[in-house]
């Protein structure tokens, strides 16, 4: 017996009506398969968004309860991902506020992660050319850079953080 893939790919021998019906069925199956793929992609996007929100919320609970674990990396990662990827500005702003509270709580730790967290924030902000001025003359030393050498385009009202 032939494999099912072979029966689906090859039109049945015979008259033109059967061949036309086979072609129509094949098109319908291909369209349905494309719709399934689109739906799967949409579900993956929603799942990713919900995952980011849930992880940030769990991190916020730890910080709000002042019960930060010894290893802060998972808490920081959850908040940073929310700041970077969250689609809702209010949730993004909440994660930023919780991160500030976390920084304050970590000041008295023996191994303070604040420097690394701030460096990561700076690196993230510097990726966005609409937020960060670009130095146009790279030949000058850092102390020789003037405001005239930089270009800056302020963010639109939609992206501004208050």
């Amino acid at each position: 017996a032939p494999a099912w893939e072979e029966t689906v790919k090859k039109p049945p021998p015979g008259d033109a009506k059967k061949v036309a019906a086979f072609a129509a069925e094949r098109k319908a199956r291909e369209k349905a398969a494309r719709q399934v793929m689109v739906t799967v992609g949409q579900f993956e996007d929603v799942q990713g968004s919900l995952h980011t929100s849930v992880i940030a919320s769990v991190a916020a609970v730890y910080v709000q309860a002042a019960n930060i674990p010894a290893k802060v990396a998972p808490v920081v990662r959850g908040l940073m991902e929310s700041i970077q990827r969250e689609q809702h500005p209010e949730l993004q702003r909440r994660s930023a506020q919780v991160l500030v509270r976390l920084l304050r709580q970590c000041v008295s730790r023996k191994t303070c992660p604040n420097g690394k967290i701030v460096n990561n924030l700076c690196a993230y902000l510097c990726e966005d050319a609409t937020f960060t001025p670009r130095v146009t003359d790279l030949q000058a030393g850092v102390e020789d850079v003037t405001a005239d050498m930089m270009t800056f385009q302020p963010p639109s009202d939609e992206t501004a953080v208050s």
Side-chain angles (χ1 to χ4, degrees), residues 81-119:
E81 282 187 22
S82 176
I83 290 168
Q84 295 172 4
R85 295 188 179 99
E86 182 61 60
Q87 298 297 316
H88 303 287
E90 187 58 38
L91 295 177
Q92 194 178 39
R93 187 174 292 111
R94 186 194 70 179
S95 292
Q97 291 168 343
V98 171
L99 185 63
V100 168
R101 189 169 181 168
L102 173 68
L103 291 171
R104 288 184 182 137
Q105 290 176 10
C106 287
V107 167
S108 61
R109 292 186 122 195
K110 185 176 182 180
T111 54
C112 181
N114 290 359
K116 188 173 181 180
I117 295 170
V118 171
N119 283 339

PDB file of all heavy atoms in Angstrom, residues 81-119:
ATOM      1  N   GLU A  81      13.636  41.877  31.081  1.00  0.00           N
ATOM      2  CA  GLU A  81      12.893  41.419  29.912  1.00  0.00           C
ATOM      3  C   GLU A  81      11.576  42.161  29.786  1.00  0.00           C
ATOM      4  O   GLU A  81      11.152  42.502  28.689  1.00  0.00           O
ATOM      5  CB  GLU A  81      12.655  39.908  29.970  1.00  0.00           C
ATOM      6  CG  GLU A  81      13.873  39.114  29.591  1.00  0.00           C
ATOM      7  CD  GLU A  81      13.596  37.623  29.493  1.00  0.00           C
ATOM      8  OE1 GLU A  81      12.429  37.232  29.313  1.00  0.00           O
ATOM      9  OE2 GLU A  81      14.564  36.855  29.595  1.00  0.00           O
ATOM     10  N   SER A  82      10.938  42.424  30.905  1.00  0.00           N
ATOM     11  CA  SER A  82       9.695  43.176  30.872  1.00  0.00           C
ATOM     12  C   SER A  82       9.928  44.614  30.408  1.00  0.00           C
ATOM     13  O   SER A  82       9.169  45.139  29.596  1.00  0.00           O
ATOM     14  CB  SER A  82       9.040  43.174  32.257  1.00  0.00           C
ATOM     15  OG  SER A  82       7.879  43.964  32.253  1.00  0.00           O
ATOM     16  N   ILE A  83      10.990  45.216  30.899  1.00  0.00           N
ATOM     17  CA  ILE A  83      11.311  46.591  30.483  1.00  0.00           C
ATOM     18  C   ILE A  83      11.594  46.634  28.990  1.00  0.00           C
ATOM     19  O   ILE A  83      11.173  47.562  28.291  1.00  0.00           O
ATOM     20  CB  ILE A  83      12.507  47.129  31.297  1.00  0.00           C
ATOM     21  CG1 ILE A  83      12.086  47.357  32.751  1.00  0.00           C
ATOM     22  CG2 ILE A  83      13.057  48.412  30.682  1.00  0.00           C
ATOM     23  CD1 ILE A  83      13.232  47.616  33.699  1.00  0.00           C
ATOM     24  N   GLN A  84      12.269  45.623  28.473  1.00  0.00           N
ATOM     25  CA  GLN A  84      12.668  45.623  27.065  1.00  0.00           C
ATOM     26  C   GLN A  84      11.566  45.152  26.124  1.00  0.00           C
ATOM     27  O   GLN A  84      11.458  45.655  25.010  1.00  0.00           O
ATOM     28  CB  GLN A  84      13.893  44.728  26.876  1.00  0.00           C
ATOM     29  CG  GLN A  84      15.117  45.247  27.577  1.00  0.00           C
ATOM     30  CD  GLN A  84      16.269  44.261  27.556  1.00  0.00           C
ATOM     31  OE1 GLN A  84      16.187  43.204  26.947  1.00  0.00           O
ATOM     32  NE2 GLN A  84      17.353  44.612  28.234  1.00  0.00           N
ATOM     33  N   ARG A  85      10.734  44.197  26.537  1.00  0.00           N
ATOM     34  CA  ARG A  85       9.820  43.542  25.596  1.00  0.00           C
ATOM     35  C   ARG A  85       8.343  43.772  25.849  1.00  0.00           C
ATOM     36  O   ARG A  85       7.525  43.464  24.992  1.00  0.00           O
ATOM     37  CB  ARG A  85      10.078  42.034  25.609  1.00  0.00           C
ATOM     38  CG  ARG A  85      11.445  41.687  25.086  1.00  0.00           C
ATOM     39  CD  ARG A  85      11.599  40.191  24.922  1.00  0.00           C
ATOM     40  NE  ARG A  85      12.920  39.891  24.398  1.00  0.00           N
ATOM     41  CZ  ARG A  85      13.933  39.502  25.136  1.00  0.00           C
ATOM     42  NH1 ARG A  85      13.781  39.345  26.427  1.00  0.00           N
ATOM     43  NH2 ARG A  85      15.102  39.246  24.595  1.00  0.00           N
ATOM     44  N   GLU A  86       7.998  44.259  27.023  1.00  0.00           N
ATOM     45  CA  GLU A  86       6.585  44.409  27.365  1.00  0.00           C
ATOM     46  C   GLU A  86       5.898  45.369  26.394  1.00  0.00           C
ATOM     47  O   GLU A  86       6.418  46.436  26.103  1.00  0.00           O
ATOM     48  CB  GLU A  86       6.441  44.922  28.798  1.00  0.00           C
ATOM     49  CG  GLU A  86       5.021  45.062  29.272  1.00  0.00           C
ATOM     50  CD  GLU A  86       4.259  43.761  29.270  1.00  0.00           C
ATOM     51  OE1 GLU A  86       4.673  42.826  29.957  1.00  0.00           O
ATOM     52  OE2 GLU A  86       3.238  43.689  28.563  1.00  0.00           O
ATOM     53  N   GLN A  87       4.734  44.978  25.896  1.00  0.00           N
ATOM     54  CA  GLN A  87       3.995  45.780  24.928  1.00  0.00           C
ATOM     55  C   GLN A  87       3.157  46.869  25.595  1.00  0.00           C
ATOM     56  O   GLN A  87       2.862  47.889  24.979  1.00  0.00           O
ATOM     57  CB  GLN A  87       3.067  44.871  24.095  1.00  0.00           C
ATOM     58  CG  GLN A  87       3.816  43.845  23.281  1.00  0.00           C
ATOM     59  CD  GLN A  87       4.723  44.462  22.249  1.00  0.00           C
ATOM     60  OE1 GLN A  87       4.344  45.400  21.558  1.00  0.00           O
ATOM     61  NE2 GLN A  87       5.948  43.967  22.158  1.00  0.00           N
ATOM     62  N   HIS A  88       2.777  46.671  26.846  1.00  0.00           N
ATOM     63  CA  HIS A  88       1.931  47.627  27.547  1.00  0.00           C
ATOM     64  C   HIS A  88       2.799  48.595  28.348  1.00  0.00           C
ATOM     65  O   HIS A  88       3.514  48.176  29.261  1.00  0.00           O
ATOM     66  CB  HIS A  88       0.955  46.899  28.476  1.00  0.00           C
ATOM     67  CG  HIS A  88       0.090  45.913  27.750  1.00  0.00           C
ATOM     68  ND1 HIS A  88      -0.941  46.299  26.923  1.00  0.00           N
ATOM     69  CD2 HIS A  88       0.121  44.567  27.701  1.00  0.00           C
ATOM     70  CE1 HIS A  88      -1.513  45.238  26.413  1.00  0.00           C
ATOM     71  NE2 HIS A  88      -0.882  44.162  26.856  1.00  0.00           N
ATOM     72  N   PRO A  89       2.729  49.881  28.043  1.00  0.00           N
ATOM     73  CA  PRO A  89       3.584  50.863  28.724  1.00  0.00           C
ATOM     74  C   PRO A  89       3.415  50.868  30.242  1.00  0.00           C
ATOM     75  O   PRO A  89       4.389  51.052  30.964  1.00  0.00           O
ATOM     76  CB  PRO A  89       3.162  52.199  28.125  1.00  0.00           C
ATOM     77  CG  PRO A  89       2.529  51.859  26.819  1.00  0.00           C
ATOM     78  CD  PRO A  89       1.928  50.509  26.986  1.00  0.00           C
ATOM     79  N   GLU A  90       2.193  50.653  30.731  1.00  0.00           N
ATOM     80  CA  GLU A  90       1.976  50.679  32.173  1.00  0.00           C
ATOM     81  C   GLU A  90       2.704  49.517  32.858  1.00  0.00           C
ATOM     82  O   GLU A  90       3.320  49.693  33.911  1.00  0.00           O
ATOM     83  CB  GLU A  90       0.480  50.630  32.489  1.00  0.00           C
ATOM     84  CG  GLU A  90       0.168  50.830  33.954  1.00  0.00           C
ATOM     85  CD  GLU A  90       0.698  52.143  34.516  1.00  0.00           C
ATOM     86  OE1 GLU A  90       0.669  53.165  33.815  1.00  0.00           O
ATOM     87  OE2 GLU A  90       1.153  52.137  35.679  1.00  0.00           O
ATOM     88  N   LEU A  91       2.674  48.335  32.257  1.00  0.00           N
ATOM     89  CA  LEU A  91       3.393  47.191  32.833  1.00  0.00           C
ATOM     90  C   LEU A  91       4.903  47.385  32.722  1.00  0.00           C
ATOM     91  O   LEU A  91       5.658  47.012  33.628  1.00  0.00           O
ATOM     92  CB  LEU A  91       2.976  45.896  32.128  1.00  0.00           C
ATOM     93  CG  LEU A  91       1.520  45.477  32.319  1.00  0.00           C
ATOM     94  CD1 LEU A  91       1.206  44.230  31.511  1.00  0.00           C
ATOM     95  CD2 LEU A  91       1.202  45.267  33.790  1.00  0.00           C
ATOM     96  N   GLN A  92       5.329  47.996  31.642  1.00  0.00           N
ATOM     97  CA  GLN A  92       6.749  48.297  31.457  1.00  0.00           C
ATOM     98  C   GLN A  92       7.205  49.291  32.527  1.00  0.00           C
ATOM     99  O   GLN A  92       8.268  49.126  33.141  1.00  0.00           O
ATOM    100  CB  GLN A  92       6.946  48.860  30.052  1.00  0.00           C
ATOM    101  CG  GLN A  92       8.361  48.922  29.587  1.00  0.00           C
ATOM    102  CD  GLN A  92       8.437  49.443  28.167  1.00  0.00           C
ATOM    103  OE1 GLN A  92       7.709  50.354  27.792  1.00  0.00           O
ATOM    104  NE2 GLN A  92       9.317  48.862  27.379  1.00  0.00           N
ATOM    105  N   ARG A  93       6.405  50.299  32.759  1.00  0.00           N
ATOM    106  CA  ARG A  93       6.723  51.318  33.770  1.00  0.00           C
ATOM    107  C   ARG A  93       6.759  50.684  35.171  1.00  0.00           C
ATOM    108  O   ARG A  93       7.646  50.975  35.969  1.00  0.00           O
ATOM    109  CB  ARG A  93       5.687  52.442  33.719  1.00  0.00           C
ATOM    110  CG  ARG A  93       6.004  53.619  34.610  1.00  0.00           C
ATOM    111  CD  ARG A  93       5.023  54.776  34.422  1.00  0.00           C
ATOM    112  NE  ARG A  93       5.193  55.355  33.092  1.00  0.00           N
ATOM    113  CZ  ARG A  93       4.290  55.257  32.100  1.00  0.00           C
ATOM    114  NH1 ARG A  93       3.163  54.628  32.283  1.00  0.00           N
ATOM    115  NH2 ARG A  93       4.518  55.821  30.934  1.00  0.00           N
ATOM    116  N   ARG A  94       5.820  49.785  35.441  1.00  0.00           N
ATOM    117  CA  ARG A  94       5.798  49.111  36.741  1.00  0.00           C
ATOM    118  C   ARG A  94       7.070  48.298  36.953  1.00  0.00           C
ATOM    119  O   ARG A  94       7.667  48.319  38.029  1.00  0.00           O
ATOM    120  CB  ARG A  94       4.570  48.211  36.843  1.00  0.00           C
ATOM    121  CG  ARG A  94       4.427  47.593  38.238  1.00  0.00           C
ATOM    122  CD  ARG A  94       3.455  46.473  38.259  1.00  0.00           C
ATOM    123  NE  ARG A  94       4.064  45.355  37.528  1.00  0.00           N
ATOM    124  CZ  ARG A  94       3.509  44.191  37.366  1.00  0.00           C
ATOM    125  NH1 ARG A  94       2.326  43.952  37.843  1.00  0.00           N
ATOM    126  NH2 ARG A  94       4.127  43.231  36.711  1.00  0.00           N
ATOM    127  N   SER A  95       7.514  47.612  35.922  1.00  0.00           N
ATOM    128  CA  SER A  95       8.753  46.825  36.033  1.00  0.00           C
ATOM    129  C   SER A  95       9.946  47.734  36.281  1.00  0.00           C
ATOM    130  O   SER A  95      10.846  47.388  37.051  1.00  0.00           O
ATOM    131  CB  SER A  95       8.970  45.997  34.766  1.00  0.00           C
ATOM    132  OG  SER A  95       7.993  45.000  34.660  1.00  0.00           O
ATOM    133  N   ALA A  96       9.974  48.888  35.636  1.00  0.00           N
ATOM    134  CA  ALA A  96      11.066  49.845  35.864  1.00  0.00           C
ATOM    135  C   ALA A  96      11.052  50.342  37.309  1.00  0.00           C
ATOM    136  O   ALA A  96      12.109  50.460  37.950  1.00  0.00           O
ATOM    137  CB  ALA A  96      10.951  51.014  34.890  1.00  0.00           C
ATOM    138  N   GLN A  97       9.872  50.603  37.852  1.00  0.00           N
ATOM    139  CA  GLN A  97       9.767  51.061  39.236  1.00  0.00           C
ATOM    140  C   GLN A  97      10.224  49.969  40.211  1.00  0.00           C
ATOM    141  O   GLN A  97      10.902  50.253  41.193  1.00  0.00           O
ATOM    142  CB  GLN A  97       8.332  51.490  39.544  1.00  0.00           C
ATOM    143  CG  GLN A  97       7.929  52.751  38.820  1.00  0.00           C
ATOM    144  CD  GLN A  97       6.429  53.019  38.889  1.00  0.00           C
ATOM    145  OE1 GLN A  97       5.637  52.134  39.199  1.00  0.00           O
ATOM    146  NE2 GLN A  97       6.042  54.247  38.576  1.00  0.00           N
ATOM    147  N   VAL A  98       9.853  48.741  39.914  1.00  0.00           N
ATOM    148  CA  VAL A  98      10.279  47.626  40.773  1.00  0.00           C
ATOM    149  C   VAL A  98      11.790  47.454  40.685  1.00  0.00           C
ATOM    150  O   VAL A  98      12.450  47.164  41.685  1.00  0.00           O
ATOM    151  CB  VAL A  98       9.533  46.330  40.390  1.00  0.00           C
ATOM    152  CG1 VAL A  98      10.105  45.126  41.118  1.00  0.00           C
ATOM    153  CG2 VAL A  98       8.043  46.468  40.683  1.00  0.00           C
ATOM    154  N   LEU A  99      12.359  47.643  39.493  1.00  0.00           N
ATOM    155  CA  LEU A  99      13.809  47.529  39.347  1.00  0.00           C
ATOM    156  C   LEU A  99      14.516  48.595  40.183  1.00  0.00           C
ATOM    157  O   LEU A  99      15.539  48.313  40.819  1.00  0.00           O
ATOM    158  CB  LEU A  99      14.215  47.647  37.872  1.00  0.00           C
ATOM    159  CG  LEU A  99      15.696  47.423  37.589  1.00  0.00           C
ATOM    160  CD1 LEU A  99      16.101  45.999  37.950  1.00  0.00           C
ATOM    161  CD2 LEU A  99      16.003  47.702  36.132  1.00  0.00           C
ATOM    162  N   VAL A 100      13.983  49.800  40.229  1.00  0.00           N
ATOM    163  CA  VAL A 100      14.564  50.856  41.070  1.00  0.00           C
ATOM    164  C   VAL A 100      14.513  50.442  42.536  1.00  0.00           C
ATOM    165  O   VAL A 100      15.489  50.603  43.277  1.00  0.00           O
ATOM    166  CB  VAL A 100      13.825  52.202  40.844  1.00  0.00           C
ATOM    167  CG1 VAL A 100      14.211  53.224  41.898  1.00  0.00           C
ATOM    168  CG2 VAL A 100      14.104  52.722  39.451  1.00  0.00           C
ATOM    169  N   ARG A 101      13.390  49.871  42.934  1.00  0.00           N
ATOM    170  CA  ARG A 101      13.273  49.417  44.325  1.00  0.00           C
ATOM    171  C   ARG A 101      14.276  48.295  44.616  1.00  0.00           C
ATOM    172  O   ARG A 101      14.881  48.246  45.686  1.00  0.00           O
ATOM    173  CB  ARG A 101      11.851  48.937  44.585  1.00  0.00           C
ATOM    174  CG  ARG A 101      11.579  48.647  46.018  1.00  0.00           C
ATOM    175  CD  ARG A 101      10.108  48.444  46.259  1.00  0.00           C
ATOM    176  NE  ARG A 101       9.900  48.185  47.677  1.00  0.00           N
ATOM    177  CZ  ARG A 101       8.745  48.192  48.254  1.00  0.00           C
ATOM    178  NH1 ARG A 101       7.664  48.436  47.562  1.00  0.00           N
ATOM    179  NH2 ARG A 101       8.646  47.936  49.543  1.00  0.00           N
ATOM    180  N   LEU A 102      14.461  47.400  43.649  1.00  0.00           N
ATOM    181  CA  LEU A 102      15.449  46.332  43.798  1.00  0.00           C
ATOM    182  C   LEU A 102      16.851  46.914  43.959  1.00  0.00           C
ATOM    183  O   LEU A 102      17.629  46.467  44.818  1.00  0.00           O
ATOM    184  CB  LEU A 102      15.403  45.392  42.600  1.00  0.00           C
ATOM    185  CG  LEU A 102      16.487  44.314  42.541  1.00  0.00           C
ATOM    186  CD1 LEU A 102      16.285  43.298  43.654  1.00  0.00           C
ATOM    187  CD2 LEU A 102      16.488  43.632  41.192  1.00  0.00           C
ATOM    188  N   LEU A 103      17.191  47.909  43.148  1.00  0.00           N
ATOM    189  CA  LEU A 103      18.506  48.543  43.255  1.00  0.00           C
ATOM    190  C   LEU A 103      18.716  49.124  44.655  1.00  0.00           C
ATOM    191  O   LEU A 103      19.803  48.993  45.235  1.00  0.00           O
ATOM    192  CB  LEU A 103      18.666  49.633  42.194  1.00  0.00           C
ATOM    193  CG  LEU A 103      18.764  49.159  40.748  1.00  0.00           C
ATOM    194  CD1 LEU A 103      18.694  50.336  39.794  1.00  0.00           C
ATOM    195  CD2 LEU A 103      20.018  48.354  40.522  1.00  0.00           C
ATOM    196  N   ARG A 104      17.679  49.764  45.175  1.00  0.00           N
ATOM    197  CA  ARG A 104      17.785  50.333  46.528  1.00  0.00           C
ATOM    198  C   ARG A 104      18.002  49.241  47.579  1.00  0.00           C
ATOM    199  O   ARG A 104      18.769  49.415  48.519  1.00  0.00           O
ATOM    200  CB  ARG A 104      16.535  51.137  46.857  1.00  0.00           C
ATOM    201  CG  ARG A 104      16.452  52.431  46.105  1.00  0.00           C
ATOM    202  CD  ARG A 104      15.252  53.249  46.540  1.00  0.00           C
ATOM    203  NE  ARG A 104      15.183  54.464  45.761  1.00  0.00           N
ATOM    204  CZ  ARG A 104      14.061  54.951  45.244  1.00  0.00           C
ATOM    205  NH1 ARG A 104      12.920  54.337  45.446  1.00  0.00           N
ATOM    206  NH2 ARG A 104      14.092  56.067  44.529  1.00  0.00           N
ATOM    207  N   GLN A 105      17.291  48.128  47.413  1.00  0.00           N
ATOM    208  CA  GLN A 105      17.418  47.040  48.387  1.00  0.00           C
ATOM    209  C   GLN A 105      18.784  46.354  48.292  1.00  0.00           C
ATOM    210  O   GLN A 105      19.268  45.803  49.278  1.00  0.00           O
ATOM    211  CB  GLN A 105      16.310  46.010  48.176  1.00  0.00           C
ATOM    212  CG  GLN A 105      14.940  46.519  48.560  1.00  0.00           C
ATOM    213  CD  GLN A 105      13.838  45.515  48.264  1.00  0.00           C
ATOM    214  OE1 GLN A 105      14.101  44.364  47.940  1.00  0.00           O
ATOM    215  NE2 GLN A 105      12.586  45.961  48.387  1.00  0.00           N
ATOM    216  N   CYS A 106      19.404  46.385  47.131  1.00  0.00           N
ATOM    217  CA  CYS A 106      20.684  45.691  46.939  1.00  0.00           C
ATOM    218  C   CYS A 106      21.899  46.514  47.363  1.00  0.00           C
ATOM    219  O   CYS A 106      23.009  45.985  47.403  1.00  0.00           O
ATOM    220  CB  CYS A 106      20.844  45.282  45.472  1.00  0.00           C
ATOM    221  SG  CYS A 106      19.772  43.912  45.015  1.00  0.00           S
ATOM    222  N   VAL A 107      21.704  47.778  47.679  1.00  0.00           N
ATOM    223  CA  VAL A 107      22.834  48.639  48.038  1.00  0.00           C
ATOM    224  C   VAL A 107      23.604  48.074  49.220  1.00  0.00           C
ATOM    225  O   VAL A 107      24.838  48.109  49.247  1.00  0.00           O
ATOM    226  CB  VAL A 107      22.337  50.082  48.337  1.00  0.00           C
ATOM    227  CG1 VAL A 107      23.411  50.910  49.006  1.00  0.00           C
ATOM    228  CG2 VAL A 107      21.868  50.746  47.064  1.00  0.00           C
ATOM    229  N   SER A 108      22.916  47.513  50.189  1.00  0.00           N
ATOM    230  CA  SER A 108      23.591  47.040  51.403  1.00  0.00           C
ATOM    231  C   SER A 108      24.113  45.609  51.287  1.00  0.00           C
ATOM    232  O   SER A 108      24.705  45.107  52.238  1.00  0.00           O
ATOM    233  CB  SER A 108      22.611  47.125  52.583  1.00  0.00           C
ATOM    234  OG  SER A 108      21.491  46.305  52.334  1.00  0.00           O
ATOM    235  N   ARG A 109      23.930  44.976  50.135  1.00  0.00           N
ATOM    236  CA  ARG A 109      24.421  43.596  49.975  1.00  0.00           C
ATOM    237  C   ARG A 109      25.943  43.566  49.910  1.00  0.00           C
ATOM    238  O   ARG A 109      26.573  44.502  49.425  1.00  0.00           O
ATOM    239  CB  ARG A 109      23.868  42.984  48.685  1.00  0.00           C
ATOM    240  CG  ARG A 109      22.390  42.754  48.759  1.00  0.00           C
ATOM    241  CD  ARG A 109      21.928  42.022  47.545  1.00  0.00           C
ATOM    242  NE  ARG A 109      21.297  40.811  48.040  1.00  0.00           N
ATOM    243  CZ  ARG A 109      21.003  39.771  47.325  1.00  0.00           C
ATOM    244  NH1 ARG A 109      21.311  39.750  46.061  1.00  0.00           N
ATOM    245  NH2 ARG A 109      20.424  38.728  47.849  1.00  0.00           N
ATOM    246  N   LYS A 110      26.484  42.459  50.369  1.00  0.00           N
ATOM    247  CA  LYS A 110      27.941  42.306  50.354  1.00  0.00           C
ATOM    248  C   LYS A 110      28.467  42.355  48.911  1.00  0.00           C
ATOM    249  O   LYS A 110      29.424  43.061  48.613  1.00  0.00           O
ATOM    250  CB  LYS A 110      28.325  40.989  51.024  1.00  0.00           C
ATOM    251  CG  LYS A 110      29.809  40.790  51.165  1.00  0.00           C
ATOM    252  CD  LYS A 110      30.110  39.519  51.931  1.00  0.00           C
ATOM    253  CE  LYS A 110      31.616  39.376  52.099  1.00  0.00           C
ATOM    254  NZ  LYS A 110      31.944  38.157  52.845  1.00  0.00           N
ATOM    255  N   THR A 111      27.849  41.605  48.018  1.00  0.00           N
ATOM    256  CA  THR A 111      28.193  41.687  46.599  1.00  0.00           C
ATOM    257  C   THR A 111      27.028  42.384  45.890  1.00  0.00           C
ATOM    258  O   THR A 111      26.016  41.758  45.569  1.00  0.00           O
ATOM    259  CB  THR A 111      28.422  40.289  46.000  1.00  0.00           C
ATOM    260  OG1 THR A 111      27.278  39.485  46.256  1.00  0.00           O
ATOM    261  CG2 THR A 111      29.658  39.640  46.595  1.00  0.00           C
ATOM    262  N   CYS A 112      27.177  43.663  45.702  1.00  0.00           N
ATOM    263  CA  CYS A 112      26.108  44.495  45.144  1.00  0.00           C
ATOM    264  C   CYS A 112      26.074  44.370  43.616  1.00  0.00           C
ATOM    265  O   CYS A 112      27.055  44.672  42.944  1.00  0.00           O
ATOM    266  CB  CYS A 112      26.339  45.947  45.556  1.00  0.00           C
ATOM    267  SG  CYS A 112      25.063  47.063  44.958  1.00  0.00           S
ATOM    268  N   PRO A 113      24.943  43.947  43.059  1.00  0.00           N
ATOM    269  CA  PRO A 113      24.833  43.789  41.602  1.00  0.00           C
ATOM    270  C   PRO A 113      24.459  45.064  40.872  1.00  0.00           C
ATOM    271  O   PRO A 113      24.298  45.057  39.652  1.00  0.00           O
ATOM    272  CB  PRO A 113      23.717  42.749  41.474  1.00  0.00           C
ATOM    273  CG  PRO A 113      22.814  43.059  42.622  1.00  0.00           C
ATOM    274  CD  PRO A 113      23.754  43.469  43.738  1.00  0.00           C
ATOM    275  N   ASN A 114      24.344  46.172  41.582  1.00  0.00           N
ATOM    276  CA  ASN A 114      23.811  47.392  40.983  1.00  0.00           C
ATOM    277  C   ASN A 114      24.626  47.896  39.795  1.00  0.00           C
ATOM    278  O   ASN A 114      24.068  48.350  38.796  1.00  0.00           O
ATOM    279  CB  ASN A 114      23.675  48.488  42.031  1.00  0.00           C
ATOM    280  CG  ASN A 114      22.568  48.185  43.023  1.00  0.00           C
ATOM    281  OD1 ASN A 114      21.895  47.166  42.913  1.00  0.00           O
ATOM    282  ND2 ASN A 114      22.390  49.055  43.995  1.00  0.00           N
ATOM    283  N   GLY A 115      25.946  47.821  39.888  1.00  0.00           N
ATOM    284  CA  GLY A 115      26.778  48.291  38.780  1.00  0.00           C
ATOM    285  C   GLY A 115      26.494  47.529  37.499  1.00  0.00           C
ATOM    286  O   GLY A 115      26.345  48.114  36.420  1.00  0.00           O
ATOM    287  N   LYS A 116      26.396  46.236  37.623  1.00  0.00           N
ATOM    288  CA  LYS A 116      26.118  45.404  36.447  1.00  0.00           C
ATOM    289  C   LYS A 116      24.717  45.675  35.897  1.00  0.00           C
ATOM    290  O   LYS A 116      24.512  45.740  34.681  1.00  0.00           O
ATOM    291  CB  LYS A 116      26.264  43.930  36.822  1.00  0.00           C
ATOM    292  CG  LYS A 116      26.195  43.001  35.648  1.00  0.00           C
ATOM    293  CD  LYS A 116      26.509  41.579  36.070  1.00  0.00           C
ATOM    294  CE  LYS A 116      26.455  40.653  34.866  1.00  0.00           C
ATOM    295  NZ  LYS A 116      26.758  39.278  35.220  1.00  0.00           N
ATOM    296  N   ILE A 117      23.748  45.858  36.792  1.00  0.00           N
ATOM    297  CA  ILE A 117      22.376  46.144  36.361  1.00  0.00           C
ATOM    298  C   ILE A 117      22.324  47.472  35.612  1.00  0.00           C
ATOM    299  O   ILE A 117      21.717  47.577  34.540  1.00  0.00           O
ATOM    300  CB  ILE A 117      21.415  46.143  37.569  1.00  0.00           C
ATOM    301  CG1 ILE A 117      21.335  44.753  38.185  1.00  0.00           C
ATOM    302  CG2 ILE A 117      20.033  46.632  37.157  1.00  0.00           C
ATOM    303  CD1 ILE A 117      20.605  44.702  39.520  1.00  0.00           C
ATOM    304  N   VAL A 118      22.974  48.475  36.165  1.00  0.00           N
ATOM    305  CA  VAL A 118      22.980  49.797  35.513  1.00  0.00           C
ATOM    306  C   VAL A 118      23.704  49.722  34.169  1.00  0.00           C
ATOM    307  O   VAL A 118      23.258  50.326  33.183  1.00  0.00           O
ATOM    308  CB  VAL A 118      23.599  50.860  36.447  1.00  0.00           C
ATOM    309  CG1 VAL A 118      23.822  52.176  35.711  1.00  0.00           C
ATOM    310  CG2 VAL A 118      22.701  51.071  37.657  1.00  0.00           C
ATOM    311  N   ASN A 119      24.807  48.981  34.097  1.00  0.00           N
ATOM    312  CA  ASN A 119      25.506  48.810  32.814  1.00  0.00           C
ATOM    313  C   ASN A 119      24.597  48.156  31.777  1.00  0.00           C
ATOM    314  O   ASN A 119      24.573  48.572  30.616  1.00  0.00           O
ATOM    315  CB  ASN A 119      26.776  47.979  32.989  1.00  0.00           C
ATOM    316  CG  ASN A 119      27.904  48.767  33.597  1.00  0.00           C
ATOM    317  OD1 ASN A 119      27.914  49.987  33.553  1.00  0.00           O
ATOM    318  ND2 ASN A 119      28.850  48.065  34.184  1.00  0.00           N
TER     319      ASN A 119
END
